[in-house]
């Protein structure tokens, strides 16, 4: 019948002191991981694509396939 | 907890000089309850005998309505009730309304120094005032299993309903969903170079006219 008195004060502060550093660290890790797993490869992919890109060749291929309305394939 | 009392109105004679009794609940202390009973004894023997049969709790004051005193009938639900809730830790009334003689003597002992009470007596006093302890009332049930089972069952029934609908209710799909049409759509997307960097056309090998390995 004689339990110790439970902690009555500072509960929110204690929780924040514990969880906020963890939350902050995890957020930073998530951001860094996203940058190096997603955005950097994507930038590299675009760079590589346009290094070897010949716009006129692509245009002619699309024209021959008939997808344009302003310029029909050279045969017609 | 709550009594549903059927008072045989016609058989209780209400004497005109019968003083309306305050509800025993308002007269919560044992001492005053005895006073009230004494008054009743003085005023009317017959009514007292009848009333005693009904117990001492939740006596509607409507006993006197017939006598033309015009006291409103008090419904059961309008009286203070006992219920076990975490957010209402001290209900308006004790759980046990009619104390047995040992309980009454225990209550008398409670008026003295509490250090003289044994642990069992303290627990007995607690159980007089309260039905369930906080641990008991907050204990979880196994109800969630039935809930999940019901959910899954009805999701399954819905699945049957959907299948039946597909077979018997819906008409044909549009011609644009046929295989040939979808092939033509696919070819057009490749011709237009949809998403050539990382997406759709990036996976097509234009030289060899096939998907990239």
């Amino acid at each position: 019948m004689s339990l110790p008195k439970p902690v009555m004060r500072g509960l929110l502060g204690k929780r924040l002191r514990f969880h906020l550093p963890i939350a902050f660290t995890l957020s930073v890790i998530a951001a860094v991981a996203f940058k190096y797993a997603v955005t950097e490869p994507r930038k590299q992919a675009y760079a590589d694509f346009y290094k070897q890109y010949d716009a006129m060749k692509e245009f002619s291929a699309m024209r021959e396939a008939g997808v344009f309305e302003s310029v029909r394939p050279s045969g017609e | 907890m709550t009594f549903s009392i059927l008072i045989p109105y016609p058989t209780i004679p209400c004497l005109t000089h019968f003083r309306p009794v305050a509800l025993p609940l308002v007269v919560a202390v044992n001492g005053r309850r005895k006073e009230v009973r004494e008054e009743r004894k003085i005023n009317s023997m017959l009514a007292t005998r009848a009333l005693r049969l009904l117990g001492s709790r939740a006596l509607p004051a409507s006993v006197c309505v017939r006598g033309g005193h015009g006291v409103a009938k008090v419904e059961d639900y309008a009286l203070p009730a006992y219920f076990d809730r975490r957010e209402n830790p001290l209900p308006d009334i004790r759980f046990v309304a009619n104390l047995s003689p040992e309980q009454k003597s225990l209550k008398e002992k409670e008026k003295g120094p509490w250090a003289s009470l044994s642990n069992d007596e303290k627990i007995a006093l607690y159980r007089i005032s309260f039905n369930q302890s906080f641990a008991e009332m907050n204990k979880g049930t196994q109800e969630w299993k039935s809930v999940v089972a019901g959910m899954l069952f009805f999701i399954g029934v819905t699945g049957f309903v959907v299948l039946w609908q597909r077979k018997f209710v819906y008409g044909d799909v549009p011609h644009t969903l046929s295989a040939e049409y979808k092939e033509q759509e696919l070819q057009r997307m490749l011709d237009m170079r949809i998403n050539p960097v990382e997406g759709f056309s990036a996976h097509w090998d234009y030289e060899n006219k096939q998907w990239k390995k």
Side-chain angles (χ1 to χ4, degrees), chain B residues 14-23 32 35-36 38-40 42-44 47 51 61 63-64 69 71:
Chain B
C14 186
L15 309 178
T16 49
H17 52 269
F18 186 115
R19 193 141 50 98
V21 171
L23 288 176
R32 275 195 64 197
E35 265 176 31
V36 167
E38 245 96 274
E39 286 171 3
R40 276 198 236 150
I42 293 166
N43 279 339
S44 134
L51 291 172
V63 163
C64 283
H69 286 267
V71 178

Side-chain angles (χ1 to χ4, degrees), chain A residues 42 46 49 58 61-62 65 67, chain B residues 119 191-193 196-198:
Chain A
R42 190 172 286 165
Y46 272 77
F49 177 80
E58 294 293 321
M62 281 196 255
V67 295
Chain B
N119 276 354
D191 291 338
M192 288 194 287
R193 309 294 194 271
V197 180
E198 275 191 322

Side-chain angles (χ1 to χ4, degrees), chain A residues 8-51:
Chain A
M8 308 286 261
R9 291 158 188 263
L11 298 167
L12 179 63
K14 179 172 165 214
R15 179 188 169 81
L16 288 179
R17 253 175 281 122
F18 180 74
H19 281 100
L20 271 179
I22 295 174
F24 192 75
T25 317
L26 284 179
S27 314
V28 169
I29 290 175
V32 168
F34 190 81
K35 180 183 171 68
Y36 287 106
V38 177
T39 61
E40 285 303 316
R42 190 172 286 165
K43 286 199 281 191
Q44 194 56 42
Y46 272 77
D48 294 338
F49 177 80
Y50 283 109
K51 220 177 289 182

Side-chain angles (χ1 to χ4, degrees), chain B residues 96-186:
Chain B
V96 176
N98 312 321
L99 301 175
S100 68
E102 315 89 60
Q103 287 175 323
K104 280 191 201 133
S105 65
L106 192 56
K107 278 287 180 189
E108 289 300 319
K109 194 175 174 197
E110 194 191 12
K111 293 179 184 168
W114 287 344
S116 63
L117 293 170
S118 74
N119 276 354
D120 288 330
E121 285 172 336
K122 289 178 192 167
I123 292 176
L125 282 168
Y126 183 86
R127 290 294 173 182
I128 290 175
S129 301
F130 303 103
N131 181 17
Q132 287 180 316
S133 67
F134 272 74
E136 287 160 12
M137 80 166 82
N138 292 338
K139 197 169 52 177
T141 63
Q142 305 288 313
E143 192 192 3
W144 67 272
K145 295 178 188 170
S146 337
V147 171
V148 169
M151 274 170 56
L152 294 173
F153 173 76
F154 281 108
I155 290 171
V157 167
T158 310
F160 277 120
V161 170
V162 167
L163 291 175
W164 181 86
Q165 273 186 333
R166 282 201 190 161
K167 191 157 193 315
F168 292 106
V169 174
Y170 295 141
D172 289 330
V173 295
H175 69 99
T176 54
L177 293 169
S178 67
E180 304 82 36
Y181 202 92
K182 295 305 269 186
E183 278 175 13
Q184 288 169 357
E185 274 183 8
L186 181 65

